[in-house]
Amino acid sequence: MLRIKTRWLVLAMAIAVLAVGALAYGDERARSEARLDDLGAEQASVADAAALAGPAAFAAFERDDARVVIVEANGRAHGLDGREVALPGLTETTRVVRIDRPDAAVLGLPERVAMAGVARLPDGRRLAIVRTASRQRDRDREGWAHLVLAMAVVTIVVLGFGGFALMRQRRQLAAERDAELEQLSRAATMAALGSGIAHELATPLGVIVGRAEQLLSRGAGDERIVKNAQAILDQADHVDRVVRGLLQLARGAPIALQETAPAELVRQARALVEHRFARAGVHLELGGTQGAPSVRCEPLLFEHALVNLLLNACDASPAGATVKLAVEPNEHEVAFVVTDDGDGITPADAARAIQPFFTTKPAGKGTGLGLAIANEIASTHRGSLAIGPREPRGTRAAITVPIGTAHA
């Protein structure tokens, strides 16, 4: 699928936010450790200065956040008050020692990590200046708090966007399902209506055929009567075959396909609508039929689809206007294009034009089934029906089908 599901997109964004947060947290931790190292180096410099100043100046280096520790030659450590303390990790070459919280508390410092700088005294003893890292840690905590707050805000925004997007997608999917169900319902209604119409047409068609046959037999010597009676029989047979074909289409039954020249389809469709165009005073022009490759289709149904497009164009055209039916082939497809010079169709109406029972004609002038049937016929031939406005005015309707490869 080209469209990524919203839930996975939201999940990917959330993972990305967490990954960025983890990286930022790791970077902040590294900065914190670097600041502790800097404090240790600073204390080592302070210890060197205190060693040069001598024992009389040691007390000046003790403050609320700092303590002076003397390490005897035997390794025992004590404060200036003589109280024994511990400096874990201290070796002969150590210059900086990290003091954990419990040991810092024993030294009388806040229960926070502390750093000790170590210098050697002239008498062989060593001097350690221990300073708490409370201020650095407070800054670290403040930085982490800001980081957590920023991550929380970003996470809330992402989750909020994701929730909104999911709700919108669900509403859209629900609307699409409702539209699909409505379309299926309309199709079922059309099939049922078609069955009813076929049943109702059977009796009057039988009567028409019977009377036409009577006229044909009684007017054997009158060429005009014979011609008209035969025309009635031909058209009655055409109606019967079209109705049966549409019923098969509505029921999903397979249709018989055959190689047919577009010129023949256009000629037959024109013959079926000539009287309507003549009565409306609208001209019908044909074009592009010579040399067009054949298509596989059920001719009667395909002609009916073209007839529906032509009649719609005729109804939309004023007297004296021209409707064009052109065949436009390319390497893989053949398009049967009907254009008119009427008032045109809006994009919104074009999007709904193939829906059953949708019509822009006045009440009593249209059923809204012609284009829906034409669209179904096109789909059955592995093709499509496209309808839209044309410039500078009018409407363009085109049925496009593959060249000689359509299947039912």
Side-chain angles (χ1 to χ4, degrees):
M1 293 175 61
L2 293 178
R3 186 177 66 179
I4 301 175
K5 288 186 177 180
T6 303
R7 67 182 66 181
W8 297 118
L9 178 60
V10 173
L11 179 59
M13 291 176 66
I15 292 174
V17 169
L18 292 176
V20 171
L23 290 174
Y25 178 77
D27 183 66
E28 190 65 28
R29 290 276 303 200
R31 289 173 182 271
S32 176
E33 292 299 319
R35 284 192 287 267
L36 284 177
D37 291 340
D38 291 342
L39 178 62
E42 179 185 334
Q43 291 307 110
S45 298
V46 172
D48 289 338
L52 290 174
F58 289 170
F61 290 91
E62 282 210 343
R63 299 191 302 272
D64 291 341
D65 62 345
R67 292 290 183 271
V68 176
V69 175
I70 305 298
V71 181
E72 301 293 341
N74 60 8
R76 296 181 62 184
H78 60 82
L80 293 181
D81 59 0
R83 184 164 57 90
E84 188 173 339
V85 296
L87 290 179
L90 181 64
T91 66
E92 288 296 325
T93 59
T94 300
R95 286 281 290 160
V96 176
V97 178
R98 178 168 177 161
I99 310 298
D100 291 330
R101 293 183 178 188
D103 294 324
V106 172
L107 290 170
L109 294 171
E111 195 173 346
R112 297 285 184 85
V113 174
M115 299 299 293
V118 182
R120 189 168 292 278
L121 296 173
D123 60 6
R125 296 182 300 169
R126 281 174 292 169
L127 174 67
I129 306 297
V130 184
R131 186 176 178 185
T132 181
S134 295
R135 293 181 181 180
Q136 286 82 353
R137 285 312 194 191
D138 288 341
R139 286 197 295 269
D140 292 342
R141 289 167 67 93
E142 184 177 352
W144 292 337
H146 289 164
L147 175 63
V148 171
L149 179 61
M151 293 301 300
V153 171
V154 173
T155 302
I156 290 172
V157 170
V158 170
L159 292 178
F161 165 78
F164 173 76
L166 285 174
M167 289 176 59
R168 184 175 180 181
Q169 185 186 53
R170 287 175 180 173
R171 286 197 298 266
Q172 183 179 357
L173 291 175
E176 290 176 357
R177 284 195 297 267
D178 291 342
E180 185 178 356
L181 289 174
E182 182 180 358
Q183 187 173 0
L184 291 173
S185 176
R186 286 174 178 266
T189 301
M190 189 169 70
L193 182 60
S195 299
I197 291 175
H199 177 75
E200 295 299 325
L201 283 177
T203 299
L205 275 179
V207 173
I208 290 172
V209 170
R211 295 298 174 87
E213 289 175 345
Q214 289 179 7
L215 286 175
L216 189 62
S217 61
R218 292 177 182 178
D222 191 326
E223 183 178 349
R224 182 181 176 186
I225 293 177
V226 171
K227 182 179 179 180
N228 289 335
Q230 188 59 52
I232 293 172
L233 288 172
D234 290 342
Q235 292 303 310
D237 180 62
H238 179 82
V239 170
D240 180 64
R241 287 186 293 132
V242 168
V243 170
R244 292 181 185 277
L246 292 177
L247 281 176
Q248 285 185 319
L249 197 65
R251 293 166 181 164
I255 57 176
L257 302 177
Q258 61 187 67
E259 294 280 345
T260 309
E264 179 63 18
L265 296 171
V266 169
R267 187 187 67 80
Q268 291 289 351
R270 178 178 185 175
L272 292 170
V273 300
E274 278 181 329
H275 66 287
R276 283 282 295 273
F277 276 77
R279 187 171 61 192
V282 178
H283 304 290
L284 177 57
E285 290 185 3
L286 307 181
T289 58
Q290 297 301 321
S294 63
V295 295
R296 282 180 57 80
C297 68
E298 202 296 313
L300 197 64
L301 287 178
F302 204 90
E303 290 163 12
H304 186 69
L306 294 179
V307 165
N308 284 343
L309 298 189
L310 290 171
L311 292 180
N312 265 15
C314 180
D315 291 341
S317 302
T322 299
V323 171
K324 297 180 181 180
L325 170 56
V327 178
E328 300 177 0
N330 60 32
E331 186 178 355
H332 304 290
E333 298 174 323
V334 175
F336 296 79
V337 183
V338 176
T339 56
D340 65 63
D341 297 322
D343 292 333
I345 187 171
T346 65
D349 286 344
R352 301 180 59 196
I354 62 174
Q355 295 180 2
F357 308 113
F358 175 79
T359 180
T360 58
K361 297 177 182 179
K365 296 294 184 179
T367 62
L369 291 176
L371 293 179
I373 291 173
N375 180 66
E376 188 63 28
I377 292 173
S379 298
T380 303
H381 288 80
R382 295 289 177 89
S384 62
L385 169 61
I387 302 170
R390 65 186 285 260
E391 295 296 335
R393 57 180 289 136
T395 301
R396 180 185 187 274
I399 294 178
T400 303
V401 291
I403 294 176
T405 57
H407 304 276

